[in-house]
Amino acid sequence: MFGLISNCYTFYKKKSERKITLALLGLNNAGKTTILNAIKGEIDEDTTPTFGFNSSTLHEGKYKIDAFDLGGSKGIRSVWSRYLAEVHAIIYVVDAADSGRFEESRKALQDVLENQYMLDKPILVFANKQDLPTAAPAAEVVSNLGLTTCKNSHNVFACTAKPTAGKPVDLRLREGLRWLVGSVDRVYGTLNPRVLADGEAVRQEEEIKRKEREERVRKQREERARQQREEEEQRARAEVEKENVLHDGKAGSLLAPVAASAPPPQAEHVLLPPADGKDTLPAELQLHNGLALGLPHTIESPGKLPPLRRPMEQLPPTSDLRPAVQDQGTWPPSSGGGTGSTGGSPSAVVRAPSGAQAPAANGAVMGPLQSAVSRNGNADDSSGPPSSAVAVEAVGCKPRREDTLDVAAATGQLEACQWLWEMFSSSPPYDGFTAEGVLKTAAGGGQVHVCEWALQLQTERTVKAAAAAARGGHVALMERLLNWRMEMAEGGDEVGPEGEAAAADVARETAELLQAAAHGCGLADLQRLWQRWGPQQQQPPEHFGTCILAAAAGSPTPDWAAKVEWLQARGCPLSTAAAAQVAGLPAASAMERLLWLRARGCPADGRAAVAAGSAGNGHVIAYLMEQQDVAVSALVVMATAASNGHTAVLQLLRTARPGLPLRLSLLLAVPKAQLKTLAWLLEELGQGGAGALDASLFESAAGSGSVELLELLRERGCDWDGRAYAEAARFGHEEVLEWLAERGCPIPCSGQPYVWAIYEDDLPVLRCLLRLGCPWGPAGTVFTEAVAWSPARTVRWLLKAGCPVDREAALEALAERAQERDAPVAEEIRSMLG
Ligand SMILES: Nc1nc2c(ncn2[C@@H]2O[C@H](COP(=O)(O)OP(=O)(O)OP(=O)(O)O)[C@@H](O)[C@H]2O)c(=O)[nH]1
Ligand SMILES: [Mg+2]
């Protein structure tokens, strides 16, 4: 029994979050270990210099973070590069009080940034030791580290990792981590396959090197054994010669016993290294091979932060090449440069509403809510329109807020936007759910009315929204948003932060604006904007020029080539970024544009093949693989194609590189339920692939929501366990939960499925779990999570449903909630506890 409980507990701890791997880098004595300890809440720990690394597990919202704190002494820094393939992002720590080492720190960071595996990975910088009088502020650390030209997404947080006695942990540490996780979250869909594939490629490379080393050692040992044998034989012959002399040439029979004493041929194997080769690896390498394995010193800290937003899978792309459909309520498109006919509004999942309909977003998400909202707008309903709160109470579920608000804003459903805003703005803050975000999404869709409403919610930051409008080809709306900013500035209101940081912000925003215009507007508009906002100097900064030209190359406007040529004449270079941009376009344009660019001397690299893999452009991949100057990682391309369901690309790569492993592709095809691709992969894997069909693969499949996929995997003998329930609950798939129970999948005793439903505030899933008889898990765990994150009505429901309560833990979570976030809700919940 104890074993069962302890298994449940272990399982509960092993939450099925998305995983991120981070490395903490920085010079020795910068405070890396102290920062990691502080984030874990271990503020009293004294640190000693780190040799090798420490690893810790953290939680931030839905993410499980494996953090590797590496030693920063000069002699150890060379091993940093071994970790970079396997990390999603890095935390770089600087001792802000030690200006004498800024230059050394800059160089160390520069080396990291130049590593091929660091491309597009976010970087969080902590300017540590702000308690010391000599500490430089964040802006000074930025310029001393040379971050102003850094192409990776980055942010700097000043902090004090080592608090004075009795003081709480510096909140900026968590804030920084939250920023970093948010940045990774935004690109997780593309970054994660790359990280997995790069990690796999590096592991394979190391495996090959290990085998080569073993082979070398084996040969050396064989050679030594052969020499020994020869020496023995020679000695034996010499003995025989001696005997012959003594016995008158009749000592030949003596040879036999001597030869038998030499080691028999198979005895050589005794000298070979064991199959795992452990004894032949240098100790240092063994240490760092541990990166991908379960490592010691793993410390779990409970996830106390709100879940992060999920990727906007529902939102349609804004950059497809289809001609624009002019939505009602949008400003007339620009007449200049042929922009008007091509300024694409998003090919929305939902059309604009008639009357006061709620956003008809993803049915799975909105189903029950939608009917309540429809009632809300029905004039014949004698009971009158219920308030949003009443509707939510009646239905018992919130739509997944970020998805629905995005869809409503992009498609111009003003009333739905207002309704959703009213409902969510009182909730705890949530990454991505901001007025600025709504404005930007609405601007991207050219939705003027929604923009006007959103401008009442926030009035300062409109350049990003203007850029989104430009990207969608909505030039008049873009102008309007830019002028709004001007008016605000003239009116004396503060625009953005002060000083250096403000200047950097403006530079970044204008670069973003021009890049968006290069994508979505015609040449005439681009030229006009360039004149007003473009760089003053003759030669634009390289990164700026590269990005803007790449945007023009991948543009949906018919005059894309004219834009590229015009930008080239302004000093913007043709680069690998442009090649990658066009390689990911729909098939015919991709090849045509890539050849056009290459004919003008445009370089290309592996990223173009990855982009082509993501778009399913097999012929572009085949072309790139033939090019002498392009290094294509077939494994990475294959992984990307698999996650996007491009079976033909997998087939092509499999023919070109028959030895490519398939397991990674299998893992990546599962979350989006790419059924055809999966069927092909399973076929190819055949009997030998049975090992890949484990319970974690099934867990991931449960998160896809596809019962068909689950059926397919079970047919092929895939293993399953209780984690599947948790994953299905996390993504709100009631149908999958029902299916699992009906088929007899072992139900977990961890309570984790409830915890996910609580994070998502998904009452229907909570009800479903209760109906299926899912156990609550270790006493009080589920309730405590609810007390920390849920609205009062969910807590009330849990009490009614008989959820076990650990009163002490609940009160502690409530106190924290009251202090950090929403005190009134905490108070309401406290009154329920009596
Ligand atoms: N005053 C002050 N001291 C700090 C702060 N953070 C860390 N320290 C101290 O700085 C020293 C080095 O901290 P560590 O965390 O061990 O540094 P590290 O970056 O991990 O160093 P290596 O492991 O050698 O690479 C320790 O004495 C810490 O107590 C801070 O915010 N303020
Ligand atoms: Mg350390």
Side-chain angles (χ1 to χ4, degrees):
M1 184 63 193
F2 175 74
L4 182 66
I5 294 171
S6 115
N7 283 346
C8 292
Y9 184 72
T10 318
F11 175 71
Y12 173 75
K13 282 287 186 189
K14 254 174 67 187
K15 288 180 185 174
S16 48
E17 304 97 325
R18 280 179 159 196
K19 288 186 185 129
I20 294 182
T21 307
L22 299 179
L24 276 99
L25 308 175
L27 303 187
N28 51 317
N29 201 46
K32 300 178 289 295
T33 307
T34 313
I35 283 179
L36 198 54
N37 287 344
I39 291 177
K40 289 184 313 202
E42 296 163 8
I43 50 176
D44 297 328
E45 301 288 320
D46 275 335
T47 59
T48 51
T50 309
F51 297 100
F53 68 85
N54 303 309
S55 89
S56 296
T57 303
L58 308 168
H59 287 97
E60 171 63 42
K62 287 180 197 169
Y63 279 92
K64 177 176 172 234
I65 302 167
D66 285 332
F68 292 93
D69 160 26
L70 303 175
S73 316
K74 206 162 190 177
I76 311 176
R77 271 176 238 160
S78 61
V79 307
W80 290 359
S81 61
R82 297 207 186 152
Y83 290 81
L84 299 179
E86 306 204 27
V87 302
H88 294 81
I90 63 164
I91 299 177
Y92 195 80
V93 184
V94 183
D95 179 347
D98 190 358
S99 59
R101 295 189 77 192
F102 282 170
E103 181 54 19
E104 187 185 355
S105 187
R106 187 189 67 76
K107 283 195 185 130
L109 177 60
Q110 195 60 32
D111 282 351
V112 171
L113 292 176
E114 279 168 10
N115 185 290
Q116 54 164 330
Y117 293 117
M118 277 306 292
L119 197 77
D120 299 334
K121 293 187 178 175
I123 297 160
L124 163 65
V125 176
F126 279 127
N128 191 27
K129 305 198 186 178
Q130 292 294 322
D131 57 317
L132 298 179
T134 52
E140 207 176 310
V141 172
V142 170
S143 60
N144 279 301
L145 285 186
L147 277 170
T148 35
T149 55
C150 174
K151 296 172 187 173
N152 300 56
S153 140
H154 60 273
N155 206 343
V156 183
F157 286 75
C159 67
T160 301
K162 192 178 172 192
T164 34
K167 290 263 174 68
V169 173
D170 189 342
L171 289 177
R172 292 171 293 185
L173 296 173
R174 261 293 168 184
E175 236 176 79
L177 184 67
R178 199 173 301 162
W179 172 85
L180 190 64
V181 172
S183 303
V184 172
D185 185 63
R186 273 187 285 282
V187 292
Y188 195 79
T190 49
L191 180 59
N192 193 47
R194 203 182 99 206
V195 168
L196 293 178
D198 283 349
E200 181 70 25
V202 168
R203 268 192 297 278
Q204 278 187 11
E205 228 170 76
E206 294 208 337
E207 181 65 13
I208 290 168
K209 281 192 195 145
R210 186 179 68 82
K211 287 207 172 121
E212 282 172 359
R213 235 182 353 258
E214 278 178 19
E215 185 62 16
R216 265 201 313 277
V217 172
R218 193 179 67 80
K219 282 194 175 143
Q220 280 167 3
R221 288 181 177 180
E222 265 181 16
E223 180 60 21
R224 262 204 309 276
R226 193 185 57 74
Q227 280 174 4
Q228 261 176 10
R229 245 192 346 263
E230 275 179 16
E231 279 167 23
E232 292 280 340
E233 278 174 18
Q234 264 173 13
R235 259 202 308 278
R237 271 196 205 96
E239 289 290 321
V240 170
E241 294 294 318
K242 235 170 28 195
E243 290 295 320
N244 276 341
V245 172
L246 289 175
H247 297 95
D248 199 17
K250 290 177 186 153
S253 59
L254 288 176
L255 263 178
V258 172
S261 73
Q266 66 269 35
E268 287 166 22
H269 297 296
V270 177
L271 299 169
L272 298 184
D276 64 9
K278 271 185 189 147
D279 68 344
T280 65
L281 279 179
E284 185 200 40
L285 206 75
Q286 283 181 29
L287 178 73
H288 299 294
N289 271 354
L291 180 59
L293 308 172
L295 290 158
H297 324 299
T298 297
I299 298 152
E300 298 260 349
S301 74
K304 288 283 181 197
L305 289 152
L308 291 160
R309 57 173 295 158
R310 295 187 306 148
M312 283 197 311
E313 276 154 16
Q314 328 297 347
L315 259 193
T318 53
S319 58
D320 61 332
L321 291 172
R322 275 165 290 175
V325 179
Q326 201 59 42
D327 282 339
Q328 278 187 354
T330 56
W331 243 284
S334 152
S335 55
T339 322
S341 60
T342 51
S345 71
S347 51
V349 179
V350 191
R351 290 285 96 203
S354 58
Q357 289 275 325
N362 178 346
V365 170
M366 289 292 291
L369 184 71
Q370 199 183 338
S371 55
V373 183
S374 304
R375 282 203 311 279
N376 193 14
N378 185 352
D380 297 335
D381 189 342
S382 55
S383 62
S387 74
S388 57
V390 174
V392 169
E393 195 68 45
V395 182
C397 120
K398 277 186 180 183
R400 312 260 160 160
R401 54 182 157 179
E402 66 279 16
D403 297 345
T404 43
L405 187 64
D406 278 338
V407 174
T411 55
Q413 302 179 59
L414 179 57
E415 282 188 52
C417 285
Q418 291 167 333
W419 189 88
L420 289 161
W421 184 261
E422 181 204 334
M423 179 161 52
F424 293 132
S425 52
S426 58
S427 310
Y430 208 72
D431 251 19
F433 189 81
T434 58
E436 193 185 349
V438 181
L439 180 63
K440 202 173 140 187
T441 310
Q447 305 300 344
V448 177
H449 303 312
V450 179
C451 283
E452 278 176 344
W453 165 73
L455 279 168
Q456 292 163 23
L457 301 175
Q458 75 93 30
T459 51
E460 286 175 9
R461 309 189 63 82
T462 58
V463 179
K464 276 182 194 297
R471 191 175 165 76
H474 308 292
V475 177
L477 178 54
M478 172 197 75
E479 295 286 359
R480 170 85 186 263
L481 288 162
L482 286 175
N483 288 339
W484 178 281
R485 185 183 163 103
M486 293 298 137
E487 283 160 22
M488 288 296 300
E490 280 159 20
D493 286 77
E494 256 182 41
V495 179
E498 296 291 343
E500 213 177 302
D505 264 7
V506 170
R508 208 175 17 243
E509 283 181 344
T510 44
E512 201 177 317
L513 179 72
L514 284 167
Q515 193 179 335
H519 175 89
C521 302
L523 179 59
D525 287 318
L526 175 62
Q527 287 169 335
R528 201 164 43 77
L529 286 167
W530 183 280
Q531 222 162 17
R532 189 163 148 206
W533 300 90
Q536 305 297 314
Q537 62 270 51
Q538 200 76 39
Q539 187 73 25
E542 193 194 335
H543 182 52
F544 170 85
T546 302
C547 291
I548 195 166
L549 187 136
S555 157
T557 69
D559 57 353
W560 63 271
K563 287 191 287 186
V564 169
E565 280 168 344
W566 185 80
L567 287 167
Q568 244 193 306
R570 309 265 90 60
C572 301
L574 289 171
S575 70
T576 52
Q581 188 77 40
V582 300
L585 290 174
S589 325
M591 198 64 197
E592 178 204 330
R593 293 194 194 187
L594 186 59
L595 292 176
W596 187 89
L597 288 173
R598 296 280 286 165
R600 281 159 181 75
C602 181
D605 63 10
R607 279 179 303 167
V610 173
S614 164
N617 293 333
H619 56 309
V620 172
I621 295 168
Y623 162 80
L624 289 166
M625 285 171 89
E626 280 168 10
Q627 304 296 298
Q628 296 291 327
D629 61 329
V630 186
V632 174
S633 163
L635 188 72
V636 178
V637 178
M638 194 172 201
T640 315
S643 83
N644 290 290
H646 299 305
T647 316
V649 171
L650 303 193
Q651 288 162 341
L652 179 148
L653 288 165
R654 185 87 166 143
T655 312
R657 308 266 166 90
L660 274 180
L662 297 174
R663 187 180 147 77
L664 185 63
S665 298
L666 187 71
L667 289 176
L668 290 169
V670 159
K672 290 195 206 158
Q674 307 290 4
L675 289 173
K676 280 192 189 141
T677 305
L678 282 162
W680 180 80
L681 282 166
L682 289 168
E683 208 61 51
E684 285 288 296
L685 278 162
Q687 291 302 316
L693 303 181
D694 56 17
S696 54
L697 187 77
F698 194 80
E699 173 195 9
S700 174
S704 77
S706 166
V707 168
E708 214 180 334
L709 171 57
L710 298 180
E711 299 264 17
L712 174 73
L713 290 176
R714 287 297 290 166
E715 260 171 37
R716 304 295 172 109
C718 188
D719 199 4
W720 63 7
D721 64 22
R723 283 175 290 173
Y725 286 87
E727 199 67 356
R730 172 184 179 187
F731 290 106
H733 301 311
E734 279 181 74
E735 193 195 350
V736 170
L737 289 170
E738 307 266 8
W739 183 90
L740 290 168
E742 201 182 292
R743 296 301 170 100
C745 177
I747 203 153
C749 45
S750 61
Q752 185 61 30
Y754 289 106
V755 173
W756 280 125
I758 280 166
Y759 282 165
E760 293 294 347
D761 193 19
D762 199 335
L763 205 42
V765 165
L766 288 172
R767 287 192 183 118
C768 173
L769 291 166
L770 188 67
R771 196 169 59 244
L772 298 176
C774 181
W776 293 108
T781 312
V782 169
F783 190 78
T784 307
E785 287 296 328
V787 156
W789 300 114
S790 299
R793 67 178 165 77
T794 308
V795 178
R796 201 173 298 120
W797 180 86
L798 286 169
L799 284 171
K800 260 195 212 155
C803 176
V805 177
D806 175 342
R807 199 179 146 76
E808 203 177 311
L811 288 175
E812 200 180 309
L814 266 181
E816 203 172 305
R817 180 170 183 169
Q819 195 186 358
E820 282 181 6
R821 287 168 285 123
D822 36 2
V825 182
E827 191 45 49
E828 190 181 346
I829 296 174
R830 187 190 294 278
S831 69
M832 282 180 222
L833 294 178

